[in-house]
Amino acid sequence: MALLLRDQENVEKGGWSDRSYNTQEDTMIIKHIDCDEMKASITRCILEQLPDWFGIPEAVEEYISDSSGRPFFCAFDGDRPVGFLYLKETG
């Protein structure tokens, strides 16, 4: 990933610097996940690491099964899932 940063000279002209900075070591990638098995695996992996917030096993299992068939996005730090979001329509 490359970032374009405004430098003072170009800010005065209202433009962007043509210098780019590689930020790959600080980059997280967001991916849309289609596979229900992968959704369940990611959900389980992350929620089980947060027992203070998700310590009721039945509730965790409900979140996991609820992820199936829903739009699901996962944040990856390299190959490691570090967060997820799935969309559930409510009333």
Side-chain angles (χ1 to χ4, degrees):
M1 175 179 174
L3 255 278
L4 293 178
L5 301 178
R6 293 176 83 128
D7 62 23
Q8 189 58 42
E9 180 181 325
N10 283 326
V11 168
E12 291 168 6
K13 297 176 191 172
W16 291 92
S17 170
D18 60 353
R19 291 180 293 160
S20 63
Y21 299 85
N22 187 352
T23 61
Q24 189 162 350
E25 64 276 359
D26 297 326
T27 301
M28 287 195 195
I29 296 172
I30 307 295
K31 294 182 181 178
H32 179 250
I33 308 296
D34 288 319
C35 174
D36 285 339
E37 288 145 1
M38 187 176 242
K39 292 174 187 179
S41 176
I42 291 167
T43 303
R44 181 178 306 284
C45 172
I46 292 172
L47 295 186
E48 287 182 348
Q49 293 181 44
L50 300 167
D52 290 344
W53 293 344
F54 300 97
I56 302 168
E58 297 81 16
V60 170
E61 291 304 318
E62 188 174 331
Y63 284 120
I64 292 166
S65 65
D66 228 18
S67 69
S68 178
R70 305 207 184 276
F72 190 103
F73 300 88
C74 182
F76 289 90
D77 183 8
D79 291 335
R80 185 172 60 100
V82 294
F84 70 88
L85 165 98
Y86 68 76
L87 304 175
K88 178 180 178 181
E89 188 174 338
T90 61

